[in-house]
Amino acid sequence: MSGVFTGRLRTRATGLHPPADASAYRSTALRSPRHAPIQLPSTASEETGPVFGHDLIGPTDADLTRNFGPGGAIGEQIIVTGHLRDEGGRPVPQALIEIWQANAGGRYRHRNDGYTAPLDPGFGGCGRCLTDAQGAYAFRTIRPGAYPWPNGGNDWRPAHIHFSVFGAAFGQRLVTQMYFEGDPHIALCPIVQSVPDARAIDRLTARLDMDATIPFDARAWRFDITLRGLDATPFEGRP
Amino acid sequence: MTRESASQTAGPYLHIGLAPNAAGLPMFGGDLGARMVGDGAEGTRMVLTGEIRDGSGAAVTDALVEMWQADAAGHCPARDPAFTGWGRTTCDTAGRFRFETLRPGALDGQAPHVTLWIAARGIGLALQTRVYFPDAPENATDPVLSRVPESRRDTLIAAATPEGYNIKITLQGADETVFFDI
Ligand SMILES: [Fe+3]
């Protein structure tokens, strides 16, 4: 091998992700490192991907309306679908996507969530799937409710679904949130607005997809996800 | 070209999504990444523990920690079929986490190390760091460690414990851990 640094993973874009210290999102105050992260080209540790047990992912894990309690979930049934690609536009197949969300009333099935909306006995709030050979994924779930959170006194999260995504390489690991087109809380939310690039926020906003909508059953929302790509040019500081 | 999707915090309830059984939801027959070492794995077993503190010294109790490492022979991803090389766990009420794993071998050109990935409320882009071992002679020539200012290198070196190693992670402040964008 010619060197430890191969520079295969493309450097993360500056000004795309939220800064560590985003003052309007108060939880960042004590959890934001004061030093910038040390930027280095990738090594084998970042360019290889985890083995989490693909055979453990069951076909019904992606249906949040049925994967928890008996009877099914309460709320507006929706399909959330899209493609996982890298920055070069290549599909990322066999990648693990995990999601979690509040129920239709805006309440999480989590011991620390004390919001007054009731729990739904038919809804756990998490699901997972693998992307197919074309990088496509799909979940069936219910549209989550908006909920208030302790931050500025009267802050409400827009309706959202949390996404955790693996790529082919551990250095592509991404956690994000999906929002719904047309939600007025997107513009008001300190967490969303911590993303400095308006176009990047737009890409976190799922669009109504009538082609994927199942007639007389469930409307579909399209959410495509992009992971770090491979760099065509070698890293300059390479030894 | 479409750039990477923007990151967003995992929020306070990430455990129900990524470690539901640990969060009290019986889902999927178990949590992914809970068991790294199977029967017959080759190498030295070790327990890697850690604790995470914020800028005020308070324990970070809601974090999710993932780790990624080479197998005992230094292959990443692991070639040992009885070892996954990937683990995921949650912090407890004292901000502590624990992985039962194998001591990694030295990767080609690098000192033995473990990559840690930390997601939590208040963290907009998950934090990535590395854990090195205090007794590894390869540390002296490791190409990543050597690019960390000497005064901060200690934050990446674990301390020996009776069952393995422990790493203190400080998100902010005087002993702030070195985080990487690699
Ligand atoms: Fe949330």
Side-chain angles (χ1 to χ4, degrees), chain A residues 12 17 25 27 29-32 34-35 38-39 45-46 49 87 98 173 176-177 179 203 226, chain B residues 1 3-9 55 62 66 68 88 110 113 121-122 130 171-172 176 179 181-182:
Chain A
R12 284 211 138 110
H17 297 294
Y25 174 25
S27 290
L30 290 170
R31 294 183 166 196
S32 45
R34 289 292 177 253
H35 291 92
I38 294 180
Q39 199 174 62
S45 297
E46 294 77 33
E87 290 175 321
E98 296 160 283
R173 190 90 178 76
T176 189
Q177 301 182 30
Y179 305 101
R203 289 197 287 123
T226 309
Chain B
M1 186 195 64
R3 290 312 307 251
E4 184 185 16
S5 297
S7 174
Q8 290 272 266
T9 179
D62 56 300
E66 290 183 6
W68 175 231
R88 173 189 277 174
Q110 301 189 65
H113 65 273
R121 167 180 68 83
R130 285 183 169 200
L171 300 183
Q172 181 190 88
E176 187 173 301
F179 298 103
D181 175 9
I182 301 189

Side-chain angles (χ1 to χ4, degrees), chain A residues 135-150:
Chain A
Y137 75 89
F139 290 96
R140 178 183 279 260
T141 183
I142 51 90
R143 184 174 171 126
Y147 59 84
W149 59 298

Side-chain angles (χ1 to χ4, degrees), chain A residues 76-82 137 143 178-183 186 202-215 217-224:
Chain A
E76 178 192 339
Q77 300 231 349
I78 59 171
I79 306 292
V80 175
T81 186
Y137 75 89
R143 184 174 171 126
M178 182 202 103
Y179 305 101
F180 292 84
E181 178 182 17
D183 189 330
I186 292 172
D202 188 58
R203 289 197 287 123
L204 296 183
T205 307
R207 299 298 198 274
L208 177 67
D209 182 345
M210 288 306 290
D211 290 335
T213 288
I214 305 170
D217 182 5
R219 286 192 297 170
W221 298 83
R222 176 156 301 275
F223 182 54
D224 294 326

Side-chain angles (χ1 to χ4, degrees), chain A residues 100-102 108 147 157 160 162 177, chain B residues 10-13:
Chain A
W100 66 100
Q101 64 169 86
Y108 284 89
Y147 59 84
R157 294 303 322 280
H160 62 277
H162 295 268
Q177 301 182 30
Chain B
Y13 308 127

Side-chain angles (χ1 to χ4, degrees), chain B residues 18-77:
Chain B
L18 301 182
N21 294 277
L25 273 76
M27 299 287 293
F28 312 135
D31 291 336
L32 293 178
R35 187 166 186 248
M36 299 179 66
V37 186
D39 296 333
E42 287 181 31
T44 307
R45 291 192 180 233
M46 79 169 185
V47 175
L48 176 65
T49 53
E51 54 188 275
I52 308 180
R53 298 195 171 272
D54 72 11
S56 73
V60 175
T61 60
D62 56 300
L64 183 100
V65 184
E66 290 183 6
M67 71 105 93
W68 175 231
Q69 66 165 81
D71 64 18
H75 295 126
C76 191

